[in-house]
Amino acid sequence: MKAFNISEIVLTKYLFFTGKGGVGKTSLACATAIGLADAGKKILLISTDPASNLQDIFNQSLNGNCVQIPEVQGLTVVNLDPEEAAGVYKESVVGPFRGKLPVSVIQNMEEQLSGSCTVEIAAFNEFSDFITDPEKYKQYDHIIFDTAPTGHALRMLQLPSAWSTFISESTHGASCLGQLSGLEQRKEIYKQAVLTLADEKETNLILVSRPEVSPLLEAARSSSELQALGIKNQILVINAILQDVDQQDDVSVQLFNQQKEVLLHIPDSLTKYPAFTIPLRSYNLSNIDDIRRMLHEDVLVHANTEYKPLNQELTKEDLIDDLYRSGKRVVFVMGKGGVGKTTLAATIAIGLAKRGAKVHLTTTDPANHLDYDVATGSGISLSRINEAKVLEQYKNEVRAKVVGTISAFDMEYIEEDLRSPCTQEIAVFKAFAQIVEKADQETVVIDTAPTGHTLLLLDATESYHREVQRTQGDSSEAVRNLLPRLRNPQETEVVIVTLPEATPVFEAERLQKDLQRAGIHNKWWVVNACFSMIETRNPMLREKAMHELIWIEKVKELSNNHAALIRWNK
């Protein structure tokens, strides 16, 4: 594979960077934007990531308007907030009917416009203006998007009846089509946006990954899903490749061999695309100067500084001891994708079981990569939300409720509604509530999905609760008990996992604030994969270790010194 060099790659007008959280897609999008601007191009950089850290990188406030970056001539940045856009979109649909329709009808409309589907549609609604605007097409040489639209959102927009009137009295359950009401006038704009995404002469979709199994599997899933929708103009970029190996240094040899093994087994679906690499950098990509260097060089600022591995303070054993002593019944493990939530969830479950707790370990992560082998023989009960299975169960419930009571036309509409991606999310939510209910008899440890998806799932609990009541009468006890249980600090603990790097820490800090606004308690943090806790001779890895210290101190501050550190391990 060749090095990613923007001067040697034919880049299209529109560039979309996507990938699992934590792989460096924002850094790479910014590095590409700055590099092209430095080469004299006019660049528009747009983020649609709800956890974007563009304002941290550029050290200034950013919003949905075009902001020129003084330090980078020719670069304009837009930072879209999908959740804010969802609120504006929701009011644009509901607002005209306030005072004209009964309050119960208005509440029904608001409930149908709640949840993650509306956020995704609002995000697409926002950036479709940029991808179809002829003036911006002329004004900029390249328009770069940090985070491409998901296959979920694109499938939603392709549902034929999404553009017809939503059933006035929906009695079968909440799904996507209500979220699309009011967008009829934008049908042609959306159609043009989707066509542009699939146009290989206009658009490149850049799949960003790391030389690790989980991010590459995620890239393969995204690639296949988008390819099925006609978006085949893809490029693979693998970030953070260790290049300098000291054969006398066990750590660098282990890391190099680990990466080499992973790269030998790249998923077949990705091998058909052009592939490029970017070296592992020792510094945090958290400001313009470092981002500017990302594609070119490493700088060893601490080359002559005496290096001593960080002494371990609080450990994961201290965390597990506290969870056990406090009698927590629901333990969420949350954080940005790729920070090690899955392994930590299994470690916590095993640790609690060894201390005498009855434990149930589960995942709500759509990526479904919980390693259940680690819990074999530990006495832990295990589960995973099988999305296909719970989806079919939910569909059958809906069909059974309405069969024989509605017209054939409405039944066809409902069948299409059930094919929408939001139906799957509702089915998963119901399964999620049932799993948390197990806390009545045992401690439930939950390996959650990446941050944005998890928060949307938790934020949706009240709207789904009301929707279930509206459409099916009384909600289940599991749904009724869910929010009070999550908000009870005596019963629930959220363990926030991060890495000793700028982006994961900034995102984890935002996660903590979002949880606080939702009334959900958090005490413990875990800083995973610390190079600063290991002995190494490799100058680049030592430099990386030194750069970690400021972020470890930041986490200690955010956690009120309840931060467990875990050393990097192969």
Side-chain angles (χ1 to χ4, degrees):
M1 286 183 280
K2 296 181 179 179
F4 184 82
N5 186 332
I6 57 176
S7 64
E8 297 178 2
I9 301 172
V10 178
L11 299 175
T12 52
K13 170 71 74 170
Y14 300 103
L15 303 170
F16 287 83
F17 290 81
T18 188
K20 186 178 178 69
V23 296
K25 59 180 178 292
T26 296
S27 297
L28 182 54
C30 291
T32 302
I34 291 172
L36 290 170
D38 287 346
K41 303 291 186 181
K42 290 186 177 180
I43 305 299
L44 178 61
L45 172 63
I46 304 164
S47 175
T48 61
D49 187 342
S52 169
N53 66 322
L54 287 188
Q55 58 192 13
D56 303 318
I57 290 173
F58 293 108
N59 195 31
Q60 65 183 88
S61 297
L62 299 169
N63 51 39
N65 300 317
C66 293
V67 176
Q68 294 184 349
I69 305 301
E71 297 90 341
V72 187
Q73 186 175 357
L75 177 61
T76 301
V77 177
V78 175
N79 199 22
L80 300 176
D81 184 336
E83 294 184 33
E84 181 180 320
V88 173
Y89 167 61
K90 181 176 177 180
E91 186 57 29
S92 73
V93 175
V94 177
F97 299 100
R98 295 189 189 280
K100 299 177 182 178
L101 296 176
V103 173
S104 60
V105 176
I106 296 296
Q107 290 175 340
N108 180 14
M109 293 173 68
E110 289 178 331
E111 286 162 7
Q112 288 182 1
L113 291 166
S114 297
S116 58
C117 294
T118 299
V119 175
E120 288 198 83
I121 286 299
F124 194 88
N125 190 35
E126 289 277 300
F127 85 70
S128 63
D129 288 332
F130 289 97
I131 200 173
T132 59
D133 187 331
E135 290 303 314
K136 287 189 170 52
Y137 186 93
K138 295 176 184 177
Q139 184 179 357
Y140 297 100
D141 295 301
H142 298 282
I143 299 178
I144 299 173
F145 291 85
D146 169 28
T147 301
T150 64
H152 177 287
L154 295 174
R155 291 199 312 276
M156 223 187 310
L157 293 165
Q158 292 179 344
L159 293 169
S161 294
W163 309 108
S164 62
T165 304
F166 195 65
I167 294 176
S168 57
E169 290 296 330
S170 174
T171 59
H172 61 281
S175 193
C176 286
L177 302 188
Q179 277 80 357
L180 293 167
S181 61
L183 291 181
E184 175 68 33
Q185 70 276 17
R186 296 183 60 86
K187 183 177 181 179
E188 290 304 315
I189 293 176
Y190 281 4
K191 181 179 179 181
Q192 181 58 47
V194 174
L195 288 173
T196 301
L197 278 168
D199 186 344
E200 62 183 17
K201 295 180 180 179
E202 295 286 356
T203 302
N204 283 136
L205 190 137
I206 300 169
L207 299 159
V208 186
S209 184
R210 286 200 176 204
E212 300 166 13
V213 173
S214 179
L216 281 167
L217 289 175
E218 183 76 10
R221 275 188 288 270
S222 297
S223 173
S224 298
E225 188 173 48
L226 293 166
Q227 187 175 4
L229 294 168
I231 302 172
K232 302 176 181 179
N233 40 321
Q234 302 177 23
I235 294 173
L236 175 65
V237 177
I238 302 180
N239 186 27
I241 303 278
L242 179 65
Q243 294 184 316
D244 299 323
V245 183
D246 180 349
Q247 294 297 329
Q248 304 302 313
D249 180 59
D250 289 342
V251 174
S252 56
V253 170
Q254 286 178 4
L255 180 58
F256 178 81
N257 289 339
Q258 174 186 308
Q259 292 187 347
K260 182 179 178 181
E261 178 67 19
V262 170
L263 294 177
L264 288 174
H265 298 91
I266 293 176
D268 290 341
S269 60
L270 295 176
T271 57
K272 65 181 74 174
Y273 302 118
F276 302 91
T277 62
I278 297 174
L280 176 67
R281 297 305 185 193
S282 65
Y283 48 82
N284 287 297
L285 298 166
S286 56
N287 58 61
I288 292 175
D289 288 341
D290 285 340
I291 290 290
R292 188 172 260 131
R293 287 194 290 261
M294 177 185 178
L295 302 178
H296 307 291
E297 62 178 335
D298 204 87
V299 179
L300 301 182
V301 176
H302 300 288
N304 298 318
T305 304
E306 184 180 355
Y307 174 77
K308 291 182 180 179
L310 188 66
N311 289 327
Q312 192 160 351
E313 299 176 23
L314 291 177
T315 70
K316 57 189 175 185
E317 295 301 317
D318 294 315
L319 159 64
I320 297 169
D321 281 340
D322 186 65
L323 292 173
Y324 180 72
R325 285 195 304 266
S326 61
K328 293 293 193 297
R329 304 308 297 267
V330 180
V331 180
F332 283 97
V333 183
M334 288 189 181
K336 188 177 180 70
V339 297
K341 299 184 303 295
T342 297
T343 300
L344 181 63
T347 300
I348 289 173
I350 293 170
L352 289 172
K354 287 180 177 178
R355 287 161 174 78
K358 184 179 180 183
V359 180
H360 182 86
L361 172 62
T362 190
T363 181
T364 62
D365 191 334
N368 263 345
H369 49 68
L370 185 60
D371 181 2
Y372 291 100
D373 293 338
V374 298
T376 302
S378 63
I380 298 170
S381 61
L382 304 166
S383 70
R384 130 185 320 146
I385 294 180
N386 183 317
E387 295 190 357
K389 184 177 179 181
V390 298
L391 174 60
E392 195 57 36
Q393 289 174 344
Y394 178 71
K395 287 181 176 180
N396 289 335
E397 289 175 12
V398 171
R399 293 177 182 125
K401 183 179 178 185
V402 300
V403 67
T405 64
I406 61 175
S407 68
F409 173 81
D410 279 356
M411 193 65 196
E412 289 178 5
Y413 187 97
I414 286 172
E415 285 295 338
E416 182 181 326
D417 199 1
L418 291 176
R419 291 195 297 273
S420 70
C422 287
T423 298
Q424 177 171 309
E425 196 152 328
I426 294 164
V428 170
F429 169 78
K430 293 184 71 177
F432 168 79
Q434 291 168 358
I435 286 174
V436 173
E437 192 177 30
K438 291 179 179 290
D440 288 340
Q441 289 82 36
E442 53 195 334
T443 300
V444 179
V445 179
I446 305 171
D447 167 39
T448 61
T451 303
H453 187 281
T454 298
L455 286 177
L456 292 171
L457 184 66
L458 295 177
D459 287 345
T461 56
E462 285 188 330
S463 61
Y464 283 152
H465 182 178
R466 292 192 298 269
E467 182 66 14
V468 170
Q469 287 182 314
R470 184 182 67 80
T471 60
Q472 299 180 9
D474 292 335
S475 62
S476 69
E477 185 175 357
V479 173
R480 286 198 305 271
N481 292 340
L482 183 57
L483 265 186
R485 174 168 270 154
L486 297 184
R487 288 171 171 162
N488 182 359
Q490 304 305 315
E491 193 169 8
T492 297
E493 173 64 42
V494 175
V495 179
I496 295 179
V497 190
T498 188
L499 299 174
E501 301 171 11
T503 299
V505 171
F506 282 134
E507 171 144 345
E509 182 179 12
R510 294 185 188 108
L511 168 60
Q512 183 186 52
K513 291 177 181 177
D514 287 336
L515 289 169
Q516 290 169 348
R517 283 195 293 272
I520 298 173
H521 176 70
N522 157 249
K523 176 181 177 181
W524 279 94
W525 287 55
V526 170
V527 185
N528 205 4
C530 297
F531 276 97
S532 50
M533 297 178 68
I534 60 177
E535 182 63 63
T536 177
R537 311 174 8 142
N538 186 297
M540 201 280 294
L541 293 182
R542 284 191 173 201
E543 182 79 9
K544 182 174 176 59
M546 297 293 289
H547 281 290
E548 291 181 352
L549 300 181
I550 184 175
W551 302 108
I552 290 173
E553 288 304 312
K554 175 72 172 177
V555 170
K556 289 180 181 179
E557 177 186 337
L558 290 169
S559 65
N560 195 24
N561 287 317
H562 289 96
L565 308 183
I566 299 177
R567 71 194 300 272
W568 178 85
N569 195 17
K570 180 179 176 182

